[in-house]
Amino acid sequence: MDSDSTDNLVTSSDPQHPANLICTLCRNFYNWGWVTGTGGGTSIRHGPHIFIAPSGVQKELLQPTDMFVMDYATRKYLREPPVLNPSQCTPLFLAAFDRGAGCCIHTHSQWAVLVTLLVERDVKESGEDVHRKCFEIEKIEQIKGIPKGRGKQGMLGYFDRLTIPIIENTAQERDLTSSLAAAMEQHPDTYAVLVRRHGIYVWGDNVQKAKTQAESLDYIFQLAVRMREMGLPWVS
């Protein structure tokens, strides 16, 4: 499909238009160290359309015309920039949208990677099954930035335990889809899935909520790493 004939899908003066918003988000994420070296990605569902940042590009330089646009119902691309590649994250983004998300963010945050390594080490030392282990933390104020769960009212509280499932990494991003979907089924209240030695997928009902949750989780992960350095436990 000629991208020039579909530019109307990504052209708008409204900064809240998904094509513009993804560019703004990715620039912020780059500055925060979340999408270094073309890693990571972001996708927004807007009505019947899915807007997706391309793969293998410098995220801080994205332009609205770089966006892929997919019809959610048919899973067919309505717009494909000719010199860019579709994101390998697309099937994982769709898994989040199938569960009601309005935005899904994938980052390569170092703090997210580090907590998966710390959990991996803990599990090996205890002799537990590493494939069944999650990141867990409690009694941290920032936990209040995470919703209680899909279909539930309100946010987690200070005394609640935050649980984030961890899945194993794969050679190709798209091959994570089945394990991500399985983690979503096993942990229906989660709004995030960590990928060991890789990063994290975070989703929310809309862009604002997904961004807030991604920021809150990254703060918590950084704090968790610092706590471990000081010999402080994550849970009582």
Side-chain angles (χ1 to χ4, degrees), residues 64 137-138 222:
I137 196 167
E138 61 187 8
Q222 182 174 357

Side-chain angles (χ1 to χ4, degrees), residues 30-218:
Y30 175 80
N31 291 331
W32 299 341
W34 288 4
V35 294
T36 304
T38 79
T42 301
S43 182
I44 297 172
R45 180 180 178 184
H46 184 69
H49 298 154
I50 305 293
F51 293 78
I52 313 164
S55 180
V57 300
Q58 294 177 310
K59 298 301 190 295
E60 75 277 17
L61 302 179
L62 279 173
Q63 299 298 317
T65 51
D66 296 331
M67 297 301 124
F68 284 76
V69 183
M70 176 183 286
D71 179 77
Y72 176 66
T74 64
R75 304 305 208 251
K76 292 182 178 179
Y77 284 107
L78 304 175
R79 186 176 194 279
E80 299 179 77
V83 297
L84 298 174
N85 295 317
S87 174
Q88 281 209 13
C89 302
T90 299
L92 293 101
F93 292 150
L94 290 171
F97 296 140
D98 287 344
R99 286 160 177 78
C103 176
C104 188
I105 297 167
H106 172 46
T107 84
H108 288 184
S109 161
Q110 293 184 39
W111 303 112
V113 174
L114 282 169
V115 296
T116 70
L117 294 173
L118 290 171
V119 171
E120 180 181 27
R121 185 179 67 183
D122 291 348
V123 170
K124 287 181 178 179
E125 289 178 351
S126 66
E128 298 177 72
D129 183 355
V130 70
H131 302 294
R132 298 173 60 87
K133 197 65 176 175
C134 300
F135 167 78
E136 294 183 305
I137 196 167
E138 61 187 8
K139 296 181 181 177
I140 298 296
E141 183 70 11
Q142 197 65 35
I143 289 173
K144 293 179 179 179
I146 309 301
K148 289 183 176 179
R150 184 180 176 188
K152 298 180 179 180
Q153 294 295 317
M155 314 296 280
L156 292 175
Y158 171 76
F159 292 103
D160 291 323
R161 180 174 295 189
L162 173 67
T163 300
I164 306 294
I166 303 172
I167 61 175
E168 299 304 318
N169 197 22
T170 55
Q172 299 295 325
E173 191 93 28
R174 60 179 176 269
D175 294 336
L176 291 167
T177 307
S178 59
S179 55
L180 181 88
M184 290 174 166
E185 290 295 328
Q186 293 165 9
H187 301 272
D189 288 337
T190 193
Y191 280 89
V193 172
L194 285 157
V195 184
R196 198 180 316 279
R197 299 173 178 264
H198 181 150
I200 189 170
Y201 281 84
V202 185
W203 57 92
D205 297 342
N206 53 46
V207 175
Q208 180 181 1
K209 290 182 179 181
K211 178 175 176 288
T212 297
Q213 289 152 207
E215 292 172 357
S216 296
L217 288 170
D218 205 62

